[in-house]
Amino acid sequence: MTDTNHAHPGWRYPQGSPLGNAARRIPETAAASLSAGGRLAAAAVAVAVVISQDYDRTRMAAGALAALITLTVAPLWSRAARSLEWMGAGLAFFGGAALAAAGPAWLMLPAGGLAAAAIAVREAHRRRVPDVLAFFAAGAVVGGLVAVMVLTLEG
Amino acid sequence: MLSRLLLRIPWGAALLLVAGGAVTGAVLLFLLAGPYFQRTYRNDADPLAATRPAPTTAAPSSASGAGATGSPVPMVANPPPTGPAAATAQLLREGSFRDGDPGHNGEGRARLIRAADGGYVLRLEEFSVTNGPDLFVILSTDPSGSRGSATAGDALNLGKLKATDGNINYLIPEGTEVSAFQSVIIYCRAFRVVFAIATLEASS
């Protein structure tokens, strides 16, 4: 059994996966709240890292991540909102991994994972193909951010 | 596109691929990027300290007791051993650290010391370097400490960098001909990047 995928016209979304069925049993509003909440929590942790750490490079990276993640929660770009959601979760997840040794920064990692899972639940409700590419692209963004920090800030 | 490809395979395999990819990416970022955001400190004893006159202040015996007056008299604590039989540590050569490849900074001194027991020690003093993954301390025969010299056959790897900041000692293996080494390189083996270099020169 298939269903039309609204994000990719003509594409048939496969139905009947136990994972999709389980996801659809979670209320969509709860998933939406967890998606935004997870990303905001990750941004708050990043701000805590900025405040608690004294190494400039760490503070700059955490500050940049906090700003980027917060931007993905703001309803600014409706067309790109879906990809931005995934990217926000990825920034939290991979940013938390990169900064894991800096105080509470590791908490960003589960927050990002939670946000990603919540976004996947929403996608299941809307029968859309999860934009996992945007999630993984966030890992590349974090890698680029690290490179910029290393090359521009004296360590 | 990636999402569509994932939809073509069984959902369990797709879930494993996505979760596995995420965990792998996170571990790689933690291992490769994480060190750039950490500082570590270490303070090893100075092998030369026993031979340096360490001035301390102590009241002269005649000025002891409440209400005593007079300026403190500098006294030497643990005076160096004297006489022909006394073994003392000796500073052989030293150099200041300078920055390595772009974005990688180092400062402090590298000191090649013959310890009181006759062994050789490389001491990184008031040392600070950009942190990174897979960093090693290398003794090189090339005074310029070029990247290639860090992996040359005649280079001596003293082991992993123990800390990014502080005063750090490395024992040089017995039987090493230390006079051949002209520089100290802090080298990232994973990415073949020079983080800091100190050219060793005769101690004045």
Side-chain angles (χ1 to χ4, degrees):
Chain A
M1 190 171 135
T2 57
D3 190 9
T4 302
N5 177 16
H6 304 297
H8 301 280
W11 179 256
R12 310 295 286 176
Y13 190 97
Q15 299 296 296
S17 114
L19 196 65
N21 294 340
R24 279 187 287 276
R25 281 197 284 275
I26 299 169
E28 190 177 353
T29 48
S33 301
L34 272 177
S35 158
R39 284 175 287 154
L40 285 174
V45 170
V47 170
V49 171
V50 174
I51 293 166
S52 67
Q53 298 295 302
D54 57 3
Y55 186 30
D56 283 348
R57 189 177 276 175
T58 305
R59 299 177 71 190
M60 291 290 285
L65 281 171
L68 289 172
I69 294 167
T70 305
L71 278 177
T72 69
V73 182
L76 298 177
W77 302 275
S78 57
R79 289 186 67 181
R82 191 166 150 259
S83 293
L84 281 175
E85 268 187 285
W86 280 103
M87 183 155 277
L91 286 170
F93 184 82
F94 294 114
L99 297 177
W106 67 271
L107 288 168
M108 294 168 67
L109 201 147
L114 181 72
I119 299 166
V121 167
R122 287 185 69 193
E123 303 282 46
H125 275 286
R126 298 177 183 192
R127 305 202 190 289
R128 291 193 305 208
V129 182
D131 193 359
V132 289
L133 190 61
F135 179 78
F136 285 113
V141 171
V142 171
L145 185 67
V146 171
V148 169
M149 294 292 159
V150 168
L151 292 175
T152 58
L153 291 177
E154 194 163 303
Chain B
M1 187 181 4
L2 176 65
S3 306
R4 288 189 181 194
L5 285 174
L6 289 173
L7 285 176
R8 290 181 193 277
I9 59 177
W11 69 271
L15 180 65
L16 273 178
L17 271 177
V18 171
V23 170
T24 304
V27 168
L28 283 176
L29 275 169
F30 175 71
L31 292 177
L32 300 180
Y36 284 107
F37 302 103
Q38 297 168 38
R39 307 300 301 171
T40 50
Y41 300 87
R42 185 180 172 101
N43 192 19
D44 292 336
D46 185 355
L48 291 169
T51 60
R52 281 182 188 160
T56 59
T57 56
S61 57
S62 61
S64 61
T69 57
S71 305
V73 177
M75 297 180 69
V76 175
N78 300 324
T82 56
T88 58
Q90 186 185 357
L91 175 60
L92 302 176
R93 278 180 293 157
E94 65 179 331
S96 295
F97 276 104
R98 57 185 185 273
D99 297 345
D101 289 330
H104 301 85
N105 316 108
E107 61 182 41
R109 288 190 305 279
R111 311 184 107 187
L112 191 57
I113 297 166
R114 183 168 58 218
D117 63 3
Y120 291 98
V121 175
L122 175 70
R123 178 171 172 81
L124 313 184
E125 201 162 82
E126 294 172 7
F127 174 73
S128 181
V129 70
T130 301
N131 202 359
D134 209 25
L135 293 187
F136 285 83
V137 178
I138 310 280
L139 276 174
S140 165
T141 56
D142 176 7
S144 69
S146 63
R147 185 178 308 170
S149 71
T151 52
D154 55 2
L156 178 64
N157 186 336
L158 295 179
K160 283 208 159 210
L161 185 68
K162 297 174 185 173
T164 60
D165 295 81
N167 302 296
I168 310 159
N169 294 344
Y170 288 86
L171 289 176
I172 297 173
E174 243 175 80
T176 303
E177 182 50 64
V178 295
S179 60
F181 297 113
Q182 306 296 317
S183 64
V184 179
I185 307 171
I186 309 299
Y187 182 70
C188 168
R189 203 171 55 175
F191 294 122
R192 299 179 181 182
V193 172
V194 173
F195 275 52
I197 310 144
T199 301
L200 296 171
E201 290 167 342
S203 167
S204 56

